[in-house]
Amino acid sequence: MLEKNVETFIACGSEYEEAKIVLFGAPFDSTTSYRPGARFAGRAIRGESYGIETYSPYQDADLEDCRVFDSGELELCIGSSEAALLGISERTAAILDDGKLPIMLGGEHLVTLGAVREVIKRHPGLKIIHFDAHADLREDYLGARLSHACVIRRCHELLGDGSIFQFGIRSGDKSEFLWAKKGHTEMRRFDFEGLCGALESIKGSPVYLTVDLDVLDPSVFPGTGTPEAGGVSFTELLNAILLVARGSRLVGCDICELSPIYDQSGVSTAVACKLLRELIIAVSAGL
Amino acid sequence: MLEKNVETFIACGSEYEEAKIVLFGAPFDSTTSYRPGARFAGRAIRGESYGIETYSPYQDADLEDCRVFDSGELELCIGSSEAALLGISERTAAILDDGKLPIMLGGEHLVTLGAVREVIKRHPGLKIIHFDAHADLREDYLGARLSHACVIRRCHELLGDGSIFQFGIRSGDKSEFLWAKKGHTEMRRFDFEGLCGALESIKGSPVYLTVDLDVLDPSVFPGTGTPEAGGVSFTELLNAILLVARGSRLVGCDICELSPIYDQSGVSTAVACKLLRELIIAVSAGL
Amino acid sequence: MLEKNVETFIACGSEYEEAKIVLFGAPFDSTTSYRPGARFAGRAIRGESYGIETYSPYQDADLEDCRVFDSGELELCIGSSEAALLGISERTAAILDDGKLPIMLGGEHLVTLGAVREVIKRHPGLKIIHFDAHADLREDYLGARLSHACVIRRCHELLGDGSIFQFGIRSGDKSEFLWAKKGHTEMRRFDFEGLCGALESIKGSPVYLTVDLDVLDPSVFPGTGTPEAGGVSFTELLNAILLVARGSRLVGCDICELSPIYDQSGVSTAVACKLLRELIIAVSAGL
Amino acid sequence: MLEKNVETFIACGSEYEEAKIVLFGAPFDSTTSYRPGARFAGRAIRGESYGIETYSPYQDADLEDCRVFDSGELELCIGSSEAALLGISERTAAILDDGKLPIMLGGEHLVTLGAVREVIKRHPGLKIIHFDAHADLREDYLGARLSHACVIRRCHELLGDGSIFQFGIRSGDKSEFLWAKKGHTEMRRFDFEGLCGALESIKGSPVYLTVDLDVLDPSVFPGTGTPEAGGVSFTELLNAILLVARGSRLVGCDICELSPIYDQSGVSTAVACKLLRELIIAVSAGL
Amino acid sequence: MLEKNVETFIACGSEYEEAKIVLFGAPFDSTTSYRPGARFAGRAIRGESYGIETYSPYQDADLEDCRVFDSGELELCIGSSEAALLGISERTAAILDDGKLPIMLGGEHLVTLGAVREVIKRHPGLKIIHFDAHADLREDYLGARLSHACVIRRCHELLGDGSIFQFGIRSGDKSEFLWAKKGHTEMRRFDFEGLCGALESIKGSPVYLTVDLDVLDPSVFPGTGTPEAGGVSFTELLNAILLVARGSRLVGCDICELSPIYDQSGVSTAVACKLLRELIIAVSAGL
Amino acid sequence: MLEKNVETFIACGSEYEEAKIVLFGAPFDSTTSYRPGARFAGRAIRGESYGIETYSPYQDADLEDCRVFDSGELELCIGSSEAALLGISERTAAILDDGKLPIMLGGEHLVTLGAVREVIKRHPGLKIIHFDAHADLREDYLGARLSHACVIRRCHELLGDGSIFQFGIRSGDKSEFLWAKKGHTEMRRFDFEGLCGALESIKGSPVYLTVDLDVLDPSVFPGTGTPEAGGVSFTELLNAILLVARGSRLVGCDICELSPIYDQSGVSTAVACKLLRELIIAVSAGL
């Protein structure tokens, strides 16, 4: 008898009960203000993951040895932000309640809010480490408070001052930079300098890592809605992710804003796949 | 002294006071369920319009002789359907109240609702002629009642039975076809047969024409979110548009669902430009 | 507990035991002489199938009501034709032996041979109906006898004269046309004229239908390795497929030669999805 | 000893002395007003010609049996129209003086003038048959008299009234259509109706055939600088070319306005290759 | 009453009288020897500028606070270099005579000559700072003296020895490098080393800055006619531009050779937009 | 009399007898496991080489002064690895036997084996320097021993331990890294550190250099079948190639794995052209 066609990110075929990490996709991009398409990221990452190897020469470890369950893409209501966030929160809650670590594949960056709402309920004192080209600290965007451009501001409402550490930021409204400077978030512009110190300062706290892939330079990662020149290199981002995964108590993560349609070479998707492999292996080592 | 950089659809540079027709763009695609991108249609149509001529050998008439004002793209709230519809309604109302005929460039098909809401207030007994591959008659779509997939159903709530004439339909849920069959709309599948009869039957009534460009075969028009094989040819659609424009009392129209990113040859945009030229000339002849 | 991420062609989620039809992909294109890439067709068709509806207005029937199991993509040895054909034959045999009808998604056209080798064992007197732009009747191609350009010739060695009916052929070596003319196959050039007569003449015989999608005009279907101008329209091919599915005793079929990379609009994949939906519904009606 | 890498259009490898037909490319597009790129057509046609067969099922004849020499691409001065035309004229003259028939691959349409200037010197009473979407009859274009948009007008200055027969025209300035109507050219809009009659009327005269490939519908041929919806089908153009090649005394021809960059599927280039094969075979039959 | 659709580079909506800086586009690429398309740069930059923010975290300043007038694209004669240069010179003269600083968006690099011809009339002792991958020092190119490949040589004829400072040069004919070495220009190969010294040495002189964007590495900026590997990074170019804008007396500038068609990810256009924002802000600070 | 259309890599037009270096293309990619298309590299490199200059500012030398014969593309049997390797070996042998140095343009990486088989016959003690992202050291790949993923392992069988020096490796099966570590090859991960030492250690030995272009970072070189993030820069690879060419006794080389279809900007092909120019000039200097 033939088996059903199960599709997972490469080597993430564990049974749910045995898994320590659960992947899921949040195909939502309705608030994207410039170029939509991030809804297709999860499917692309899963489908193209067979172009990379499972072994990491960076960590000398193999994805095959991690226990990961890939639960596929959520079915989200396109066009309603609150409904979509609800769907994300439900999935996150289910994973956390089963004692597993959620890794979400966006979608646009707003999806982070859906996960963080649940993570903080179970992990008071949560800190967020945020890699991004954009500050995402607007109070509202063209009238909408639930927008990719406001997502970290919304998270701040849940976590409070001193809980959010931003790196790589190189774009935003003037008011966003001013607001951060007032101490609401720790913002490092352009690169990852100070990451080690930040990790040191929050040692022991639960940490949620959110990676907006447009923190990468567009030469490395053109496949995103709002490419922003002057970003970090692949190796810089990889090292930063490994630093966080190994140097903090991660309780959830996401990778957002791949928009495959804008990079027909497939390189952006391949970059996302490789970063996800490294993230999973590093997270897995700490579980 | 230099002049400001005014950008219009080719030859649509009349002063507002003198104009009989007003163009505007509705760059909204938040409820697109498959592939977004129609928000960029208006800008593309305007920008690429310089690749066509102003003279129509089909009608032996020249766009230069029409009096058209192009008011550019609306600034709409991405992510909120009701807010976007409001913006569209306001613009439509302003144009109608000044005694001019609005031609809207979508955007996804939901934008039609914003215009129709205002048109019917001023033109009771309004009929809609609807060219499309998709029935757009769902009661709701993944829970949302304001969705491109429901737009004609919403219009029906305003106009009632016997007021909507659909042509070219070749895709939909089974229930949509059944609902139409019950007499709520006049639906012609696949082509334009019966269009003359329909026009005859509504002679004298005010008519709103909505053209979802995916009624065209995808070979002619690949640049759309949900390409649907088996469509009509350019000449068939052109002739149908001319029939309506000349054979009915048009009080408003729109052209929707060009998504330029999916056709890098530029042909889809060129097709939309040419159809818009012909529509304007034909409408203008009747004013 | 979460469920695994099962991916199927839209609405093809039956349990294996209950299924009457089994889909599988044969991701092989090693003998493609011009532009490779057909190996990615199955994944693309499955992934993009969510852009079409399950209901067919052509047949007034719904894919939801068919019982289809999608067993995903075979893992085939790239670079060895004989090994790949073996893998295809094994899957075909398993499906046939369970009393189900196999529908294969190529891959390049050589994959047909792997299926036909098994089908004929169980269905002596098998006839092949072949829709294609290319004759595929070469004795060998650059020395290789197992090549997409020879696949129908290889099938002929299994079935003999008078068993193969070719339609739409418009490209080949002069010798292929001469060989066909000698009566080895019934070849209709350019279109489907004579299809009804052919079906009549083989009434009652078991039939294998192989559709090389490049029989379509490249305007409709640019996403293929060797586009050949002057082909049939979507509607012509759809009607021909429905004729065969309803008018003959089908025991197996395949759809080949979509190469998604060459059509970045996604239209070719959408066309393949729609034809597959129609094929399944029509085949299902006869089971 | 190894041989040099000679590149020709498929099967056009005759020695110059034995050849009856000489191909050459005119890679010029400096006056293209909308989207340049036709300069790359000749190289693309030559390179991609290996994707088609040498045998024509339309004419039951083989390119292998024609005697054609391919002299490659001219080196033309980009940026100077008059210098480029001179280069084209020199090459045309050399071919004609050796008693061979020139077939030129544009380039933009202005290149035709370079060839016609020489052809008419040797063939008084020359007629031009012109297939195109655009009338190309402007007196000047933005001040330039040597422009693709004026090329047939410039030819008319050499040939006079009643010598030019235009087919498929569907775009132009109003004044161009009026000018043609005055009897300066015989213009057929949209299609090839009347072609037989025209050929009859000029029986015995020397004929130059110029094919602007944008006469084709953009669905068939998106790879061109100024796509113009509503064109002819591949089969219609093929038949028209065969009619001319067989029904008139051809003394020179060209195929223009392929711009490969705008069609990444490669279909437009494949269409041009196939038309060129058919043209050569048909011309060759009459020599 | 509705307003006309005025399109400007983001936040460049000052009234002409109040503006200190005037933008204009020079859509000309007729002498491009390899891959044309730079004529579309200005429109693309303007249209895509809404994807970036107006605030610069590099300079902690906002484009909203600069006074810039965007006069749109010139209408230039395609196909005639001298006529096009004349059009550019006229516009430049008008801006200079009104006491404003011109920033030109090419177009191919030849357009610089049109501007420099006027700038030097009003600013004797003018120096040129030239960022480029290519030396552009040819005496002529395929016979043409007005060519992108000769533009700096032509400028040298106006300015004389010791007035031109070239940086980033990594491609050219051997003779160009030799000619520069003789002291006609100061040429720095590959990078910006020595820029500070150069600025020091010309302190007080009026300076024209011309940026051929292909000085960037093609990984950062693939959308250009002649990509040349081994270029500078975005940050290096940004810093160099800021150095010049702040450290010299700028009287005019241009940014050339974006060819959007060759980068379908849109990244190259986004890079150009960001550099233009930074250039305007920096120039504005000095006025 | 006109000349045949000889197409060579730019400035490689020497007569065979006088040539010291012979280029040839090996258009084979049948074992490519992920994304095929490298078969088109040679043609693309040759065709696009006219976009670069012949002069190298890196080496202050000109390709025009080298004596290179370009023998074009081999005609290889698609679908049969052993037959293709035979064709490559024959060509390599012919070149070597005429006392010339072969430079091969792949194709996928397996083609290297065809060349090495002949080189080692004539140059016992041969060393291989291997630049690549992938280790290519598998014993077999999905059952095939002749695969791009095994090519260096196959070479090792001919050369033995201590003869192969790998640089830039950042992807592979765990077993490949272990196998290398056992001393079968000298493997440097991620970059070129240690290259000078390696060259020192093999001074005097004959050396074959094989460059898999995917050693480059995908930002620089997206046009390849299996892009692998985290690679070297253009300048790093250029310097490494120059080091080898000048610091060792080269007896053969190849450049592999450009797959032009995946980079529609043309940058990857331009990068390959420039590296080939530099390689030829450097090799030529040592002959």
Side-chain angles (χ1 to χ4, degrees), chain E residues 118-135:
Chain E
E118 294 300 316
V119 174
I120 195 165
K121 283 187 201 164
R122 286 151 187 84
H123 296 285
L126 183 71
K127 309 298 177 198
I128 290 179
I129 297 185
H130 172 221
F131 298 162
D132 202 334
H134 305 90

Side-chain angles (χ1 to χ4, degrees), chain A residues 265 267, chain F residues 35 217-225 227 259 262-263 265 267-268:
Chain A
S265 74
V267 165
Chain F
R35 304 190 307 180
D217 193 75
S219 60
V220 180
F221 193 76
T224 193
S259 197
Y262 299 108
D263 181 6
S265 74
V267 165
S268 302

Side-chain angles (χ1 to χ4, degrees), chain F:
Chain F
M1 200 188 101
L2 298 175
E3 285 186 29
K4 282 198 184 175
N5 183 42
V6 173
E7 288 252 328
T8 69
F9 187 73
I10 189 169
C12 292
S14 292
E15 294 301 313
Y16 185 70
E17 292 80 0
E18 297 163 6
K20 296 194 153 183
I21 293 170
V22 178
L23 286 183
F24 69 97
F28 182 79
D29 59 9
S30 291
T31 83
T32 301
S33 48
Y34 189 46
R35 304 190 307 180
R39 70 181 68 177
F40 299 113
R43 298 182 69 91
I45 288 173
R46 215 172 276 114
E48 300 302 314
S49 65
Y50 295 84
I52 62 168
E53 301 279 346
T54 60
Y55 172 73
S56 163
Y58 303 92
Q59 305 188 59
D60 189 18
D62 204 304
L63 196 56
E64 301 270 14
D65 302 327
C66 305
R67 286 184 279 156
V68 189
F69 180 89
D70 182 349
S71 68
E73 297 290 286
L74 291 176
E75 187 160 316
L76 298 176
C77 179
I78 292 292
S80 165
S81 307
E82 202 43 270
L85 289 178
L86 220 73
I88 293 165
S89 291
E90 278 171 24
R91 174 64 52 98
T92 308
I95 296 167
L96 291 170
D97 290 347
D98 287 341
K100 301 171 196 302
L101 187 142
I103 298 184
M104 177 169 57
L105 307 176
E108 57 153 273
H109 211 165
L110 181 61
V111 300
T112 298
L113 183 60
V116 166
R117 280 173 175 175
E118 294 299 316
V119 173
I120 195 165
K121 283 187 200 164
R122 286 153 188 84
H123 296 287
L126 183 71
K127 309 298 179 201
I128 290 178
I129 297 184
H130 172 220
F131 298 163
D132 202 335
H134 306 90
D136 290 356
L137 291 174
R138 276 177 164 87
E139 177 55 30
D140 72 290
Y141 190 71
L142 295 177
R145 284 171 49 86
L146 291 180
S147 162
H148 68 103
C150 313
V151 62
I152 301 303
R153 185 72 171 261
R154 290 295 88 73
C155 288
H156 176 269
E157 292 168 357
L158 300 173
L159 277 71
D161 284 357
S163 303
I164 297 175
F165 300 80
Q166 304 184 285
F167 293 87
I169 311 300
R170 59 190 184 277
S171 179
D173 202 78
K174 189 172 189 173
S175 66
E176 296 178 79
F177 285 90
L178 287 175
W179 190 83
K181 239 182 202 160
K182 286 186 192 154
H184 298 307
T185 73
E186 297 292 317
M187 184 196 286
R188 170 70 195 176
R189 292 183 305 163
F190 307 126
D191 57 31
F192 295 112
E193 214 178 286
L195 177 56
C196 286
L199 290 172
E200 194 61 33
S201 76
I202 58 174
K203 205 158 222 175
S205 300
V207 169
Y208 186 92
L209 171 65
T210 178
V211 181
D212 185 326
L213 289 164
D214 66 20
V215 73
L216 286 162
D217 193 75
S219 60
V220 180
F221 193 76
T224 193
T226 314
E228 189 68 42
V232 305
S233 74
F234 172 80
T235 308
E236 287 170 328
L237 178 55
L238 172 59
N239 289 340
I241 288 175
L242 297 186
L243 265 180
V244 175
R246 291 160 171 178
S248 75
R249 187 155 72 79
L250 272 187
V251 296
C253 359
D254 63 56
I255 288 185
C256 294
E257 296 285 6
L258 166 65
S259 197
I261 184 77
Y262 299 108
D263 181 6
Q264 289 165 347
S265 74
V267 165
S268 302
T269 303
V271 164
C273 288
K274 195 161 173 181
L275 288 171
L276 180 57
R277 178 188 76 192
E278 296 297 322
L279 174 62
I280 295 173
I281 291 176
V283 167
S284 188
L287 295 180

